Coordinates of all heavy atoms in Angstrom, one line a residue:
Q155 N 14.8 -6.7 14.1 CA 15.2 -5.6 13.3 C 16.2 -6.1 12.2 O 16.6 -5.3 11.4 CB 15.9 -4.5 14.2 CG 14.9 -3.9 15.1 CD 15.6 -3.0 16.2 OE1 16.4 -2.2 15.8 NE2 15.4 -3.3 17.4
G156 N 16.6 -7.4 12.2 CA 17.5 -7.9 11.2 C 18.8 -8.3 11.6 O 19.6 -8.8 10.8
A157 N 19.2 -8.1 12.9 CA 20.5 -8.6 13.4 C 20.5 -10.1 13.6 O 19.5 -10.7 13.8 CB 20.8 -7.9 14.7
H158 N 21.7 -10.6 13.6 CA 21.9 -12.1 13.8 C 22.5 -12.2 15.2 O 23.4 -11.5 15.6 CB 22.9 -12.7 12.8 CG 22.5 -12.4 11.4 ND1 21.6 -13.1 10.7 CD2 23.0 -11.5 10.5 CE1 21.5 -12.6 9.5 NE2 22.3 -11.6 9.3
L159 N 22.0 -13.2 16.0 CA 22.6 -13.4 17.3 C 23.6 -14.6 17.2 O 23.3 -15.6 16.6 CB 21.5 -13.8 18.3 CG 20.3 -12.7 18.4 CD1 19.3 -13.2 19.5 CD2 20.9 -11.4 18.8
I160 N 24.8 -14.4 17.8 CA 25.8 -15.5 17.8 C 26.1 -15.8 19.3 O 26.4 -15.0 20.1 CB 27.1 -15.0 17.2 CG1 26.9 -14.5 15.7 CG2 28.1 -16.1 17.2 CD1 28.2 -14.1 15.1
E161 N 25.9 -17.1 19.6 CA 26.2 -17.6 21.0 C 27.7 -17.8 21.1 O 28.3 -18.5 20.3 CB 25.4 -18.8 21.3 CG 24.0 -18.6 21.6 CD 23.4 -19.7 22.5 OE1 24.2 -20.4 23.2 OE2 22.2 -19.9 22.3
A162 N 28.3 -17.2 22.1 CA 29.7 -17.3 22.4 C 29.9 -16.8 23.8 O 29.1 -16.0 24.4 CB 30.6 -16.6 21.5
T163 N 31.0 -17.2 24.4 CA 31.3 -16.7 25.8 C 32.8 -16.5 26.0 O 33.6 -17.1 25.3 CB 30.9 -17.8 26.8 OG1 31.4 -17.4 28.1 CG2 31.4 -19.2 26.5
F164 N 33.2 -15.6 26.8 CA 34.6 -15.3 27.1 C 35.3 -16.4 27.8 O 36.5 -16.5 27.8 CB 34.7 -14.0 28.0 CG 34.5 -12.7 27.2 CD1 33.3 -12.1 27.0 CD2 35.6 -12.1 26.6 CE1 33.1 -11.0 26.3 CE2 35.5 -10.9 25.9 CZ 34.2 -10.4 25.7
A165 N 34.4 -17.3 28.3 CA 35.0 -18.5 29.0 C 35.4 -19.6 28.1 O 36.0 -20.6 28.4 CB 34.0 -19.0 30.0
D166 N 35.0 -19.5 26.8 CA 35.3 -20.5 25.8 C 36.0 -19.9 24.6 O 35.3 -19.3 23.7 CB 34.0 -21.2 25.4 CG 34.2 -22.3 24.3 OD1 35.3 -22.5 23.9 OD2 33.2 -22.9 24.0
H167 N 37.3 -20.0 24.5 CA 38.1 -19.3 23.5 C 37.6 -19.8 22.1 O 37.5 -18.9 21.2 CB 39.6 -19.7 23.6 CG 40.4 -19.3 22.5 ND1 40.8 -18.0 22.3 CD2 41.1 -20.0 21.5 CE1 41.6 -17.9 21.2 NE2 41.8 -19.1 20.7
R168 N 37.3 -21.1 21.9 CA 36.9 -21.5 20.6 C 35.6 -20.9 20.1 O 35.5 -20.5 18.9 CB 36.8 -23.1 20.6 CG 36.4 -23.8 19.3 CD 37.3 -23.5 18.2 NE 38.7 -23.4 18.5 CZ 39.6 -22.8 17.7 NH1 39.3 -22.2 16.6 NH2 40.9 -22.8 18.1
S169 N 34.7 -20.7 21.0 CA 33.4 -20.0 20.6 C 33.6 -18.6 20.2 O 33.0 -18.1 19.2 CB 32.4 -20.1 21.8 OG 32.8 -19.2 22.8
L170 N 34.6 -17.9 20.8 CA 34.9 -16.5 20.4 C 35.5 -16.5 19.0 O 35.2 -15.7 18.1 CB 35.8 -15.8 21.4 CG 35.2 -15.4 22.7 CD1 36.3 -14.8 23.6 CD2 34.1 -14.4 22.5
V171 N 36.5 -17.5 18.8 CA 37.1 -17.5 17.5 C 36.1 -17.8 16.4 O 36.1 -17.1 15.3 CB 38.2 -18.7 17.4 CG1 38.7 -18.9 16.0 CG2 39.3 -18.3 18.4
E172 N 35.2 -18.7 16.6 CA 34.1 -19.0 15.6 C 33.2 -17.8 15.4 O 32.8 -17.6 14.2 CB 33.3 -20.2 16.0 CG 34.1 -21.6 16.1 CD 34.8 -21.8 14.7 OE1 34.1 -21.7 13.7 OE2 36.0 -22.2 14.7
A173 N 33.0 -17.1 16.4 CA 32.1 -15.9 16.2 C 32.8 -14.8 15.4 O 32.2 -14.3 14.4 CB 31.8 -15.3 17.6
V174 N 34.0 -14.5 15.7 CA 34.7 -13.4 14.9 C 35.0 -13.9 13.5 O 35.2 -13.0 12.6 CB 36.0 -12.9 15.6 CG1 35.6 -12.4 17.0 CG2 37.1 -13.9 15.7
K175 N 35.1 -15.2 13.2 CA 35.4 -15.6 11.9 C 34.2 -15.3 10.9 O 34.4 -15.3 9.7 CB 35.6 -17.2 11.9 CG 37.0 -17.6 12.2 CD 37.1 -19.1 12.0 CE 38.6 -19.5 12.3 NZ 38.7 -21.0 12.2
R176 N 33.1 -15.0 11.4 CA 31.9 -14.7 10.6 C 31.8 -13.3 10.2 O 30.9 -12.9 9.4 CB 30.6 -15.1 11.3 CG 30.6 -16.6 11.6 CD 29.4 -17.1 12.5 NE 28.1 -16.9 11.8 CZ 27.0 -17.3 12.2 NH1 26.9 -17.8 13.4 NH2 25.9 -17.1 11.6
V177 N 32.7 -12.4 10.6 CA 32.5 -11.0 10.4 C 33.8 -10.3 9.9 O 34.9 -11.0 9.9 CB 32.0 -10.2 11.6 CG1 30.6 -10.8 12.1 CG2 33.0 -10.3 12.8
D178 N 33.7 -9.1 9.5 CA 34.9 -8.3 9.0 C 35.3 -7.3 10.1 O 36.5 -7.0 10.2 CB 34.5 -7.5 7.8 CG 33.9 -8.3 6.7 OD1 34.6 -9.3 6.3 OD2 32.8 -8.0 6.3

Side-chain angles (χ1 to χ4, degrees):
Q155 294 167 54
H158 308 280
L159 305 182
I160 303 182
E161 281 203 31
T163 171
F164 281 90
D166 180 356
H167 172 72
R168 183 51 43 198
S169 72
L170 285 179
V171 172
E172 292 305 315
V174 301
K175 275 185 177 178
R176 297 176 66 176
V177 300
D178 308 302

